[in-house]
Amino acid sequence: MTAIPRLVIAAPSSNAGKTSVATGLVAALTARGLTVSPHKVGPDYIDPGYHALAAGRPGRNLDPWLVGEERIAPLFLRGALHPRPADVAVVEGVMGLFDGASHPSVEPGFSSTAHVARLLQAPVVLVVDGSAQARSVAALVHGFATFDPEVRLGGVVLNRVGSDRHEAILREALAAAGVPVLGAVRRLEQLATPSRHLGLIPAAERSGEALATVRGLGEVVGAAVDLDAVLALARSAPPLDAAPWDPAAEVAPAPGRPRIAVAGGPAFTFGYAETTELLEAAGAEVVVVDPLRDGLLPPGTAGLVVGGGFPEVHAAALSANASLRADVAALAARGAPVAAECAGLLYLGRELDGLPMCGVLDVATAMSPRLTLGYRAAVAVTDSVLAPAGTRVRGHEFHRTHADPPAGAAGAWQWSAAGAEGFVAGSVHASYLHLHWAGSPQLAARFVAECARRSEAVRAHR
């Protein structure tokens, strides 16, 4: 049994201000001298970046679709206890409180914020946008408080409140609903986080500006919210009957400690902390490479992982780094394992929006007005450095680009009758599908083992 004070920040719908309130709460509690463990329901990569800035430790995702219900509490405890135990954990929800995966294989509400709150036995704080309502707020909150008796609504934070009089009306109405008001945040447009075609701009791309935003959110939330009441609510969560997730228990280390480069920097910000932890547990030495700034891969690189991000925003700078593009192409030509997701696929292609990329795959990619978004239950259609054919995984798509299929490459995954998606060519696996490797740890084990085996073969040949 592990006792970690915790709460979930939810909302009736998207765009109510969950991220601002959750990030501000993490920053305000951290400013008090507390160690805060930040988490995010769902697959989103961007919000955890702001959480990490506020907390000074990685923001971790909790998504039952991607990793399975049984791993939610263990992964939560991994984040809350590593690298040091937290005083309190703040879990930001996704969409509306009861909105979950839209997929025929699961029941309604699966992977919703309410689902994760139940799995964590955590009280919920509902962020309510009060900008366009008055007494009706009581009916709204009453409905959310009673919809699911297994979800405990412990308090409300009113957001975008217009004036003292407006706040008084909202508080008076909510007093009859029996749910405590923990705070009221005024309309502060100057603290809005800028967005673009796939949502908020990642914190890593904003650097000093993002730090200022996080600091400002902490000051606003710290002044507008009763932090003592929030902490008391978090401490009411019961101990969890689970052990922390341990990557070393999921995979066996391969011999030789192969060096694996993982793309990072502003262009490749989409990644889960558990990916690196699993690669290391599987025996790899992980080195981060920034394709915007590093001229070459680290010496002795035996494999490359290129995750998601916004290469389309940085296409000119990525293209201008011709020396690294050539080094990546040479690595793949030598038969070293390369695994790429979404943005990684774009980077490995021949060109992106007409600009030269690595040319590992003979594929042209370009921005598209169509948003492709959703959970996927996929099966591997080709043996690859990630998985043997027939392997079943769960992932998600999130992109506004398209890729023309290259000649000579087999498909990577299939999840519909429309055909295979992604490309497998030699030791290269590239796909639009985002995966959380904690849900399929065998991917890391196979990839590192392939890096070790091929590195040994190269040494033996020499």
Side-chain angles (χ1 to χ4, degrees):
M1 304 293 287
T2 307
I4 294 288
R6 60 196 180 276
L7 49 80
V8 172
I9 307 297
S13 66
S14 297
N15 300 316
K18 286 191 308 293
T19 300
S20 294
V21 171
T23 303
L25 184 58
V26 172
L29 293 172
T30 301
R32 269 198 171 193
L34 299 175
T35 299
V36 184
S37 178
H39 304 262
K40 170 68 180 180
V41 178
D44 176 73
Y45 297 101
I46 298 176
D47 294 348
Y50 286 92
H51 300 166
L53 278 182
R57 61 197 280 158
R60 293 178 182 257
N61 293 71
L62 302 171
D63 190 321
W65 171 270
L66 294 180
V67 303
E69 293 178 291
E70 72 282 0
R71 288 190 178 94
I72 294 301
L75 284 170
F76 167 80
L77 291 173
R78 169 73 175 186
L81 299 174
H82 180 82
R84 63 185 185 279
D87 299 306
V88 62
V90 175
V91 182
E92 181 192 339
V94 60
M95 299 187 294
L97 176 56
F98 299 104
D99 300 329
S102 178
H103 196 277
S105 66
V106 294
E107 296 179 356
F110 191 91
S111 280
S112 66
T113 302
H115 186 191
V116 171
R118 289 195 301 268
L119 292 172
L120 295 180
Q121 302 173 64
V124 173
V125 174
L126 195 69
V127 178
V128 176
D129 182 354
S131 62
Q133 58 184 321
R135 190 167 181 264
S136 296
V137 73
L140 175 71
V141 172
H142 175 77
F144 275 85
T146 57
F147 184 79
D148 184 345
E150 294 184 23
V151 176
R152 178 161 65 101
L153 184 56
V156 170
V157 171
L158 299 167
N159 192 29
R160 301 177 185 135
V161 176
S163 64
D164 289 345
R165 177 58 181 158
H166 187 203
E167 179 180 340
I169 292 171
L170 295 172
R171 285 183 178 272
E172 182 180 352
L174 285 170
V179 180
V181 176
L182 302 176
V185 181
R186 297 300 171 89
R187 297 187 187 120
L188 295 167
E189 298 301 329
Q190 69 271 27
L191 290 179
T193 303
S195 302
R196 60 177 176 230
H197 58 283
L198 290 183
L200 299 181
I201 296 177
E205 293 188 40
R206 300 179 61 216
S207 58
E209 183 187 3
L211 280 170
T213 297
V214 168
R215 191 177 301 114
L217 287 171
E219 292 170 355
V220 168
V221 171
V225 174
D226 185 344
L227 298 183
D228 291 328
V230 167
L231 288 170
L233 180 62
R235 290 169 182 146
S236 72
L240 283 171
D241 186 12
W245 179 79
D246 180 7
E250 300 277 6
V251 294
R257 195 165 164 74
R259 176 172 289 177
I260 295 177
V262 175
F268 297 95
T269 56
F270 290 6
Y272 300 120
E274 292 82 2
T275 298
T276 295
E277 292 171 347
L278 281 165
L279 288 171
E280 291 174 340
E285 176 195 359
V286 176
V287 182
V288 176
V289 59
D290 183 350
L292 291 178
R293 297 179 176 86
D294 294 326
L296 296 170
L297 293 168
T301 293
L304 174 64
V305 175
V306 191
F310 288 101
E312 64 272 23
V313 175
H314 303 278
L318 290 170
S319 184
N321 191 352
S323 60
L324 183 63
R325 290 193 290 108
D327 210 19
V328 169
L331 180 79
R334 293 195 298 270
V338 179
E341 286 184 359
C342 200
L345 185 159
L346 307 182
Y347 184 58
L348 294 185
R350 183 180 71 252
E351 62 180 50
L352 170 57
D353 283 338
L355 293 170
M357 290 291 131
C358 294
V360 172
L361 297 171
D362 186 19
V363 54
T365 61
M367 288 293 295
S368 164
R370 178 173 174 267
L371 174 63
T372 301
L373 172 68
Y375 284 124
R376 309 287 185 245
V379 60
V381 295
T382 309
D383 285 341
S384 73
V385 293
L386 270 191
T391 300
R392 295 188 177 275
V393 297
R394 283 185 169 186
H396 68 99
E397 275 192 291
F398 186 45
H399 60 92
R400 284 189 184 273
T401 59
H402 66 86
D404 299 325
W413 308 107
Q414 185 164 356
W415 53 77
S416 72
E421 184 277 336
F423 316 113
V424 174
S427 61
V428 177
H429 184 288
S431 166
Y432 272 120
L433 190 67
H434 290 287
L435 298 172
H436 194 308
W437 286 15
S440 303
Q442 71 274 15
L443 302 177
R446 181 179 177 92
F447 188 78
V448 176
E450 285 293 313
C451 290
R453 182 180 67 81
R454 297 181 191 225
S455 293
E456 181 58 34
V458 169
R459 284 194 294 268
H461 179 73
R462 288 174 179 172

